[in-house]
Amino acid sequence: LLAQFSQLAGVQPAKQIAFSFDIDGQRPLYPVCFLTNGGGVTEQAKADQLASWLGVRVTAEQVILSHTPIRLLAAGYGSAPVLAERRGCVADVAEAYGFRAAVTSAELAAAYPPSMLPFSSRAMPLGSAGVPITAVFVFHDPADWYRDLQIIVDAMTSGGVIGSRRSDMPHVPIFFSNPDMVYADDFPTPRLGQGAFAAAVQAVYEKVAGRPMESVNTFSKPSSLAFRLAASSLAAEAKEGGWKLRTSPEPSMGKRIRDSDLPFRAIYHVGDNIHSDIAGARAAGPPWVSVLVTETGVWRGPGNSPEVPAYLVVSDVEAAVAAALQRRQ
Ligand code: G3P
Ligand code: MG
């Protein structure tokens, strides 16, 4: 497919097509842009993994992870300590985004006596006293829900000074990277995702603090920001492939390119989750076209979702690409 795009580079058709792929629940075959609610690693690490799976070049700019939009917030929290929930190498991700004082839940757990987490095994030696937390960023699905739930509730009910009982607490905002209640992996049925953890955090916080949790933010699919970042990635990919774009400024992560300036008459987003992939592509509107796979991920049919109907319904990614290319004829 990339070869076809490079052939098109010379041809100056009025508008061509592009693809944005969900990852989990997919068998990616034709990499152009990967828009996933997965994460926990840097964009470069995910690009390298995709390149090794697919045997084609994949750049970090082609990968939009659940926490990629959080990069846009780092400037506001440059040196402020933030709690980065972690599985994988999220501390490296936070640092790569510019959070110079991110502390992970595992590091915080090690900074307090064992009585802080009576039911968690202490994997790290006791460290120095904790640091006041100014914000909580859940970059990726936590490995230890009990530990991270306890630490988040501690941080958000103590104005960020874990262990204190002051009443005049400054608000500590929380940002979740993705709202997926479930997602598909190799297990026969879907697994609980970060949206389930967020629901647990909100329910426990309301019981413990006696008030609802304020302004919970999520940034990945189905948010329009995630799809705008993907459109910028695709425009940059097209420009690198020699297409002449009418856009200015230069397409780059986060700068909004007007949909009318995109060089695509259709961007096929292929996904398995009706609440993230299909809802997001529908809300993003033209040139996005929602394509639902029915045999490899969360949604298993039969047919289209009556609740969030996709524009195209196919069995898997290969059928999705074939259907899209067929429509191009
Ligand atoms: O929500 C968990 C995540 O792994 C789902 O990824 O690629 O299906 O959006 P994806
Ligand atoms: Mg998926």
Side-chain angles (χ1 to χ4, degrees), residues 22-25 35-38 141 178 180 182-183 221 272 277:
D22 159 59
I23 295 176
D24 286 357
L35 177 55
T36 174
N37 281 357
D141 307 20
N178 102 52
D180 289 357
V182 294
Y183 70 96
K221 295 180 294 187
D272 67 300
D277 298 300

Side-chain angles (χ1 to χ4, degrees), residues 155-180:
M156 297 189 73
T157 55
S158 67
V161 183
I162 291 177
S164 72
R165 291 172 179 263
R166 279 177 37 208
S167 55
D168 59 329
M169 296 299 167
H171 173 59
V172 174
I174 185 164
F175 303 90
F176 290 93
S177 71
N178 102 52
D180 289 357

Side-chain angles (χ1 to χ4, degrees), residues 19 26 52 104 120 138 177 185 189 230 263 310:
F19 291 90
Q26 300 293 347
S52 70
T104 65
S120 279
V138 183
S177 71
D185 68 5
T189 52

Side-chain angles (χ1 to χ4, degrees), residues 82-126:
V82 297
L83 174 54
E85 294 313 307
R86 81 181 287 185
R87 185 171 65 177
C89 53
V90 164
D92 304 338
V93 174
E95 188 181 336
Y97 288 0
F99 290 95
R100 291 191 299 279
V103 58
T104 65
S105 42
E107 288 156 346
L108 262 186
Y112 286 86
S115 56
M116 174 199 202
L117 292 165
F119 308 122
S120 279
S121 58
R122 180 171 296 286
M124 296 165 73
L126 197 55

